[in-house]
Amino acid sequence: MQHSTSAARVLRMKDLPAKVGFQPSTLYELIALGKFPRPFKLVQGGRASGWLEHEIDAWILEHKSSGRAQ
């Protein structure tokens, strides 16, 4: 019996500039404006947060197909 699971990769802020081409300050501004996915807490009550990579990939594809940079 084979099980095929694809692990969800969590990206941290340090990973995003290379992936989306924006610096953290721009990303935080886009989050505040509702134009970029909000991060989620990795541990309830903790400080660390991240994004699921597939959500960021979807955001990139959506903005590529719509021709919008932001």
Side-chain angles (χ1 to χ4, degrees):
M1 179 193 271
Q2 273 187 322
H3 291 281
S4 176
T5 59
S6 63
R9 182 169 177 228
V10 176
L11 300 175
R12 300 290 305 274
M13 180 54 83
K14 66 182 175 77
D15 303 315
L16 291 179
K19 184 147 184 97
V20 300
F22 294 128
Q23 292 301 312
S25 59
T26 303
L27 291 169
Y28 286 125
E29 181 180 350
L30 292 173
I31 292 166
L33 294 171
K35 295 182 177 185
F36 192 81
R38 296 189 68 78
F40 66 94
K41 293 290 184 183
L42 298 177
V43 177
Q44 186 176 2
R47 292 177 45 184
S49 59
W51 293 260
L52 292 176
E53 186 172 33
H54 71 86
E55 291 178 359
I56 301 305
D57 290 340
W59 181 87
I60 291 169
L61 289 174
E62 175 186 330
H63 286 78
K64 177 184 175 198
S65 64
S66 68
R68 293 181 292 157
Q70 294 183 17

